[in-house]
Amino acid sequence: MSLTTPARPFDVTALFPELAPWARTATRLHPRPGAPTVHDSSVGGPLLWPADEPWPYCDEPHDSRVAPVVHAPDDIRLLRRVRAASAERLRRDPGAARWTPEEQEALERIGAGRPWFDGRIPLLPLAQLHARDVPFPRPSGADLLQVLWCPFDHAEGAHPRTALVRRSAAAVADVLDAPPEPPVVQRDSYLPQPCVLAPEQVTEFPNPRELDDDLRDRLADGSRWGAIDPARYSAYADDLGELYLGALSTAPGWKTGGWTPWDATDPVDRPCPACGAGTVPLLTVASSEWDGISRSWIPREEPASPAPPPLGARDGAFTLIDIAGGCDLQLYACPADPSHPHVELVP
C-alpha cells in the first residue's frame, strides 16, 4: 500500500521565508484496515511480545459511574462485523432489510452490555512501529516501539493511559501468541481496528499559536498572500488563518514527530518528568485522518468517493478510535533520553 499526500497549495516559505527555520519532518502513518502480523508496523495489530515477558496490566481504579454500559472486546468486534455486513447488503440491494434476525438478536444482546469489572485490566495493543518503517526517538539497540493503553478514562484526562515499550525486534525469539485481553472496555472507540501502515514523510510548520506575535500578524496580512494566484487561496479569503492552519502547518491524522496540532488547548510546556528537559512530539493518536479544514491532506490514492466508514464512525476514522469527541492524543518523548517517562496531552 502506498499513500501520497498531495503537494501543498504553494510553498509557504516563498511568501514567508522567516518560517523556514521552523520546518519539521513528520511521518504520516496512514493507518488503513488490514491484517497486520506481529512482524509488521501497525495500529491495533498484534505485538512482537516475548513469550517469557509478563504482559502489562493497569492497576489503577476505574470509575463505573462514567461507563454505565461496558462491552467485551469480542462483542465490539462482532458489532463491527454486523454493521459492515449490513452496509454491504444495503449497498448491493437498497431495498434489503437493514438487519437480519440473527443480526438483530446480536445487536440486542451486545446493547445490553456486560457486568462491570473491578480487577486488574490487561492493556490493549495500540501501535507497533519498526524503526525500519517509521523513525522515532529511541535508545541505542532499540528498533521497535510498542504502545499499549488501558481502555478506560483516567483521572488526569478523558482518555486512556498509555504505556511505551522500546526493544530490539531481533531479540524476541519466542512470541507470545495469546496475550490477555480486558474482560470489558469503557468505550467501543478504545478498541482499535487493526490497521496496516503506509508511512510517508511530510514537512510541517507550527500552529500559529506557537509563533511569535510579529510573525503571526504577518501571516494574517492579506497583502502578503496576494503574491500568489488568487485561485489558490480564494476559498480562504475571509480567513487566511484557516488557510495556514488547515493546509500549510500541521498534517492531520496519525503521525510521529512534527509539531503539536493545538486545538483543545493553548500551547503549554511539556517538561520531561525525569530531567525537566522540554519534550518533543513522539506519536499522535488521532480520532480521524482529516477534518473539514484539512481535506487537502487526503492522499491522492484515496477514491474520490471512498466507502462510508462503519456506522457511527466519523469521516476518515479508519482506526475507529475516538479521543474526547474527535480530539487527538499526543505522546511526547524526552530528546535527552528517550527511555525517560513519556508525557500525554490532548492538545
Side-chain angles (χ1 to χ4, degrees):
M1 181 177 67
S2 177
L3 295 174
T4 311
T5 299
R8 298 300 79 209
F10 50 87
D11 179 5
V12 69
T13 61
L15 289 182
F16 301 93
E18 56 269 47
L19 274 175
W22 295 84
R24 281 186 186 174
T25 298
T27 302
R28 302 189 71 189
L29 302 186
H30 296 308
R32 298 296 184 272
T37 73
V38 296
H39 300 290
D40 297 321
S41 294
S42 67
V43 166
L47 302 183
L48 187 67
W49 195 272
D52 60 355
E53 182 175 318
W55 189 261
Y57 282 72
C58 177
D59 295 312
E60 297 292 326
H62 304 104
D63 189 353
S64 63
R65 294 172 298 177
V66 300
V69 179
V70 293
H71 298 104
D74 279 345
D75 286 345
I76 298 171
R77 296 184 183 107
L78 174 58
L79 177 63
R80 292 172 179 175
R81 291 195 298 270
V82 166
R83 287 172 170 172
S86 172
E88 177 63 14
R89 185 169 56 250
L90 292 173
R91 186 188 69 81
R92 294 174 178 272
D93 178 9
R98 184 178 184 186
W99 311 114
T100 67
E102 295 79 9
E103 291 169 347
Q104 186 64 48
E105 180 182 355
L107 291 173
E108 292 174 359
R109 178 182 62 80
I110 295 171
R114 297 275 183 157
W116 181 258
F117 180 76
D118 280 321
R120 302 171 70 221
I121 296 291
L123 301 191
L124 278 171
L126 177 62
Q128 176 168 272
L129 304 179
H130 286 270
R132 66 173 187 249
D133 303 321
V134 181
F136 58 86
R138 54 197 175 98
S140 177
D143 61 0
L144 183 62
L145 173 66
Q146 296 171 320
V147 186
L148 305 93
W149 70 6
C150 172
F152 288 80
D153 289 334
H154 282 259
E156 67 275 12
H159 59 76
R161 176 178 294 166
T162 57
L164 304 186
V165 176
R166 296 175 177 87
R167 68 171 82 250
S168 165
V172 182
D174 297 323
V175 180
L176 182 66
D177 59 2
E181 279 202 329
V184 294
V185 303
Q186 180 178 332
R187 305 181 194 277
D188 297 3
S189 58
Y190 289 169
L191 179 68
Q193 177 74 14
C195 288
V196 295
L197 308 182
E200 176 203 19
Q201 292 192 336
V202 297
T203 299
E204 291 191 340
F205 295 94
N207 181 287
R209 283 180 282 181
E210 295 222 54
L211 301 173
D212 60 67
D213 291 343
D214 185 53
L215 182 49
R216 192 161 54 242
D217 289 344
R218 291 198 294 276
L219 285 172
D221 183 356
S223 65
R224 298 285 295 269
W225 298 93
I228 63 171
D229 179 1
R232 293 192 174 189
Y233 73 94
S234 59
Y236 300 90
D238 293 332
D239 191 349
L240 295 173
E242 184 174 298
L243 168 59
Y244 175 76
L245 185 63
L248 303 171
S249 59
T250 56
W254 284 70
K255 61 188 178 183
T256 60
W259 286 93
T260 299
W262 299 107
D263 182 23
T265 63
D266 287 327
V268 295
D269 291 334
R270 305 166 303 282
C272 171
C275 69
T279 56
V280 295
L282 170 63
L283 175 67
T284 300
V285 177
S287 294
S288 63
E289 290 299 289
W290 57 77
D291 59 20
I293 70 167
S294 61
R295 296 185 68 85
S296 71
W297 295 88
I298 296 176
R300 291 200 301 261
E301 295 83 358
E302 298 282 1
S305 299
L311 297 178
R314 60 171 45 83
D315 188 19
F318 300 101
T319 65
L320 300 185
I321 285 175
D322 188 299
I323 303 293
C327 296
D328 294 336
L329 171 63
Q330 195 159 49
L331 310 184
Y332 300 84
C334 176
D337 188 341
S339 66
H340 284 175
H342 66 290
V343 175
E344 301 173 343
L345 182 67
V346 175

